[in-house]
Amino acid sequence: MRKKKRCILSLLLLATVFMMGCKGGGVTGQLEQIDTLLVHDKVDSALFILENIPMETIHNKTDSAYYYLLMTEVKYRKWIPIESDSAINFCINYYEDYTDNEKLARSYYYKGVAFLSFHNTPQTIILLKQAEEKANKTNNNLVKHKIVEKLAFYNGESHENHLAIEYAKKALSIASDLKDEEKQAVALQYMSSDYLHLGMKDSATVCLNKCLSLINSMPNEGRSYLYTNIGRIYEKEDPQLAKIYLKKALDLKGLPYAYRTLSMIYLKEDSVEKASDLWEKALNKTKNATNSVVRIDILKAMRQQSMERKDFEQANALADSILKIQEQFYEGQREDQIAEIQAKYDKDTAVRDMREKYMTWGLGLLALTTIIVAFLGYKSRQGMKFKKELAESKMQLDAYTKKAAELENSGKASAAEINKLHEKISDLTQRHSGILAKGRELYDAIEAGGTTVRWGKNDFINYLEYYKMRDLPFVNEMETEYDHLSPKYIFFAVLEHEGKSDEDIQRIMGISESTLRSTRSRINSKRL
């Protein structure tokens, strides 16, 4: 029933893709729908559509890069050999230029796992680290999970178990966010296997128990790994229980560790014939470098058995094989330096990120400084403009008053002309009176115990315009006998002239004792 339902859903999804492809969007739309099929694990359908896209319909680099990326992914997932990396390199170059971090991460990922794989593990690790760096700049958890899960796998296969556990934990965290039980189970499987390699059986058992609760979401291969690891845990403590789980594992998939562990149990039971049969099967499964540890364990057991049978010639031959594999394995480990490669990459990435942050902070500081300077310049110009307008209004008031008196005395001017002058005089007087009124208000506030903490530059100018009515000679002296004192500095001098104490000045202006001494010194230094 479940299979029938999945089949119907697959057909509906495929039909939807065709309909959307027909409605519009051209090649780009088709490629996006193929991507959707791959997200839903409809690899056969994706391959079918890809193979039916005529190459002559792909007219731009964007569609070309997308097509090559999807084709690489499909081939990898269908176990189709990839003979050249030119297509995926095209994707990497294109997405680097156009800063598409998601597709660039996928391109690095598939170059590593589809083209290089175990042919060059260090380079694969570097490509996966590049993919991780780019993926972390996106919000695509599916891509992030795919990358960290593969880093967990490659580190585990390279026997960098601590790193493998670190990445498996990341994969588990993302899988939990995605609420994907199958992905959670895979991460827990990796962790249990790595803990076993490190001899941490308690931690491995915790992971396996969590994994057992997710067993219904696991495919047969995943269940085989789970049963194998359970067998490895109970190998010494409860061999009969271990045999049950190991046989379950081998019924699902012939995993090297399952053969190895079960053979060791039979050997302890003196079932040499059964053990030997499993050794042969295991050796056929461990011909690549990634299973060197298992192969060495089996050859050691076979050598021990040969020694017990006093077949020294066979024992010596097996010893030579073991030595050769060990030399290749440890030499490979030295050459690969998987942990060092990743540590160096992480360090370089951290330095690069810090440089980018410093650059961002520097640009931000420069922008802030520019804004502050511009604002201060604007305020200074506004103050100068206000002062200039005030001086000009005074001059105009004096000129209009003088001219009005001259016209009235001459008797030649018309009443309308004289009235017009008086209107101008009235406007200027009213405006000037407003400034004086504001200045009087500020003066009274200070005398009543107020402060200048909230004053702007124009407030100091208004205060001084009013104060000129009280002591014009002093203000003129400060403006003419000192080199460009600011209104604030002249106000400071007025307070001293008024007999205010240092404590009063500090309170009024909201300044410290050191600032008071510094201001007094600066004023004195500007005397001409």
Side-chain angles (χ1 to χ4, degrees), residues 136-169:
N136 285 339
K137 296 178 181 179
T138 75
N139 296 318
N140 193 322
N141 274 344
L142 284 172
V143 173
K144 291 178 183 178
H145 176 270
K146 187 182 296 184
I147 294 163
V148 294
E149 183 185 75
K150 196 60 72 173
L151 279 164
F153 171 76
Y154 276 95
N155 277 291
E157 292 297 316
S158 300
H159 304 285
E160 294 294 346
N161 300 109
H162 290 290
L163 273 174
I165 290 168
E166 182 182 326
Y167 278 110
K169 286 180 178 178

Side-chain angles (χ1 to χ4, degrees), residues 134 163 174 182 222-223 262 265 337 357 429:
K134 299 302 178 184
L163 273 174
I174 298 172
E182 183 178 343
R223 295 185 188 194
L262 186 56
I265 294 174
Q337 297 179 324
K357 284 182 182 178
T429 302

